[in-house]
Amino acid sequence: MKEDYMEQDELFDIGAASEDLDGEQPELYEHFKFIVDPGQTPLRVDKYMLEKLQHSSRNRIQKAADAGFVHVNERPVKSNYKVRPGDVVTLMLDRPRHDSTIEPENIPLNIVYEDDQLMVINKEAGMVVHPGAGNFHGTLINAIAWHLKDNPAFDPNDPEVGLVHRIDKDTSGLLVVAKTPDAKSKLGLQFFNKTTHRSYLALVWCNFTEDEGRIEGNIGRDPRDRLRMMVFPPDSEIGKPAVTHYRVVERFGYTTLIECILETGRTHQIRAHMRHIGHPLFCDERYGGTEILRGQRSSTYKAFIQNCFNLCPRQVLHAQTLGFRHPTTGQQMDFTSPLPADMQAVIDKWRNYINGTAQNTFEQ
């Protein structure tokens, strides 16, 4: 399976930059700039930057600081410098920043709804939402830029318009895009105030003893794998608060189809929360879902599972519903996306399996 990456506007290699100095003082280029929030308590700059730079590691940031690449208020600092409110923290590297200008690309879009303020898109699995982390072309943003290339009011490089929220590369389903700054501001406020409605369908490993439940736990980066998220206690200072509600839709003995409703929208929230309670998403390689966690040890059963993985070679997760109030009219807007063919095929296969007919499909 292809490696999946968390989306970020820029991917960089601090390690390579810090090892190529060769005794010379290089010309430095600004890659990232952060202004420390007014309420920030004193915090080591390497820890501060670790939260901001998703694809980095603390070791690489410390190497960058040792090489003079981490600046605060235009002066190089060491890793133990403690940032304070109002500090301007910059990462200066010895090569120009990758050109992240978003160019229009003629990529088909499944547009569910569109008016002069917004559009709702049903994203297919496998499409990266935003350029970054080795995926600077062929993304949803590039496709949107092409679709709106004749709209003079829409600039895909303007952060005040565009995507209001995101879903993972290998998750399918509904997204809302704002065409105007006013629409993005008002829609963003709805997400912040948790007045939107979003539900996902997911196939997860193992059977649930209960019919519904609630998962609460902070989500932050796994210190052993920066591309994976981890759940921490709600009262800890690690990660960001996250709440997921779920209910059982259909049971297949060794797997379960569930509906998840989000109170918050954290990176990999459903995937991390489900793994945390012992129910990784089926075929979710990064979170342990490609292991056979329940079921028989027979070769026939193993072949059945492999056939399921082949039918839907990604985490079985779909953003099924999306609801919000229109930013201009105030009208309630509710959308539902049918299950994509790959997910439907896997669910049908499990349904046949528990009905005792799966043996007829093992060789397909």
Side-chain angles (χ1 to χ4, degrees):
M1 293 184 186
K2 293 182 179 179
E3 191 79 346
D4 65 324
Y5 293 94
M6 295 181 188
E7 291 157 326
Q8 180 173 311
D9 291 344
E10 187 83 4
L11 176 67
F12 62 93
D13 189 343
I14 291 177
S18 62
E19 293 168 1
D20 293 338
L21 294 178
D22 198 27
E24 298 291 333
Q25 179 61 43
E27 180 180 0
L28 299 182
Y29 303 86
E30 181 182 301
H31 278 235
F32 294 95
K33 179 178 180 179
F34 310 105
I35 300 177
V36 180
D37 293 337
Q40 176 68 55
T41 56
L43 181 68
R44 283 178 57 116
V45 69
D46 54 352
K47 290 185 177 180
Y48 176 81
M49 293 183 72
L50 189 62
E51 288 297 317
K52 300 292 185 180
L53 303 176
Q54 298 180 353
H55 280 277
S56 185
S57 68
R58 191 171 178 184
N59 181 56
R60 285 188 172 185
I61 293 172
Q62 289 173 343
K63 282 186 177 181
D66 291 343
F69 292 160
V70 175
H71 291 203
V72 176
N73 302 327
E74 300 184 353
R75 292 178 177 272
V77 297
K78 296 300 182 182
S79 301
N80 61 358
Y81 174 89
K82 292 188 175 181
V83 299
R84 293 169 175 77
D87 277 352
V88 179
V89 181
T90 51
L91 175 65
M92 311 292 292
L93 296 183
D94 57 350
R95 60 188 183 277
R97 183 174 178 175
H98 177 89
D99 183 5
S100 58
T101 302
I102 297 169
E103 299 293 342
E105 295 180 32
N106 189 5
I107 302 169
L109 286 174
N110 182 358
I111 300 172
V112 177
Y113 173 84
E114 183 175 12
D115 61 26
D116 62 345
Q117 295 294 309
L118 59 90
M119 54 197 297
V120 176
I121 295 171
N122 189 18
K123 185 187 84 70
E124 63 181 29
M127 176 180 275
V128 175
V129 170
H130 198 282
N135 297 284
F136 293 104
H137 302 283
T139 73
L140 183 67
I141 286 292
N142 296 114
I144 292 169
W146 178 273
H147 180 75
L148 297 175
K149 66 182 186 301
D150 296 326
N151 181 348
F154 184 86
D155 178 0
N157 294 287
D158 183 354
E160 293 188 349
V161 296
L163 287 169
V164 181
H165 61 119
R166 301 182 182 187
I167 58 178
D168 296 335
K169 170 188 173 183
D170 288 326
T171 299
S172 54
L174 297 169
L175 288 164
V176 61
V177 177
K179 292 185 178 182
T180 68
D182 184 63
K184 186 166 185 179
S185 175
K186 290 179 178 177
L187 287 168
L189 192 60
Q190 292 181 51
F191 278 87
F192 179 79
N193 290 331
K194 305 175 185 176
T195 58
T196 59
H197 175 84
R198 287 175 291 165
S199 72
Y200 293 71
L201 281 180
L203 183 68
V204 300
W205 276 105
C206 313
N207 196 13
F208 283 84
T209 57
E210 65 283 349
D211 290 332
E212 59 184 30
R214 179 180 186 271
I215 309 168
E216 181 176 4
N218 289 9
I219 291 182
R221 301 208 172 276
D222 186 335
R224 295 167 296 182
D225 183 349
R226 298 291 295 168
L227 299 180
R228 185 171 63 191
M229 307 305 284
M230 189 172 176
V231 179
F232 299 90
D235 58 353
S236 71
E237 296 182 357
I238 306 174
K240 297 180 179 180
V243 177
T244 302
H245 300 268
Y246 66 89
R247 71 174 184 87
V248 171
V249 176
E250 192 170 356
R251 300 176 188 273
F252 304 120
Y254 302 134
T255 60
T256 308
L257 181 65
I258 61 171
E259 178 188 33
C260 295
I261 298 176
L262 303 183
E263 275 192 27
T264 52
R266 308 303 183 198
T267 300
H268 293 188
Q269 177 171 323
I270 294 173
R271 299 167 69 187
H273 268 171
M274 284 298 149
R275 180 178 186 268
H276 179 67
I277 65 170
H279 293 277
L281 269 63
F282 191 78
C283 206
D284 188 349
E285 183 177 26
R286 184 158 296 284
Y287 289 88
T290 53
E291 301 175 20
I292 300 180
L293 300 180
R294 288 292 185 277
Q296 307 165 13
R297 296 185 178 182
S298 68
S299 59
T300 303
Y301 179 72
K302 291 178 181 178
F304 164 72
I305 295 298
Q306 189 58 54
N307 286 340
C308 288
F309 288 162
N310 293 340
L311 283 172
C312 188
R314 52 132 175 155
Q315 67 260 14
V316 186
L317 181 63
H318 178 64
Q320 184 183 40
T321 68
L322 175 63
F324 54 86
R325 290 198 173 276
H326 194 280
T328 301
T329 68
Q331 177 185 356
Q332 180 64 31
M333 311 284 286
D334 293 298
F335 302 92
T336 301
S337 167
L339 278 176
D342 58 354
M343 274 188 65
Q344 188 64 61
V346 169
I347 290 168
D348 289 344
K349 200 169 185 69
W350 273 104
R351 192 175 288 130
N352 289 337
Y353 180 82
I354 63 167
N355 289 333
T357 60
Q359 61 267 28
N360 297 326
T361 65
F362 285 152
E363 297 180 358
Q364 295 181 5

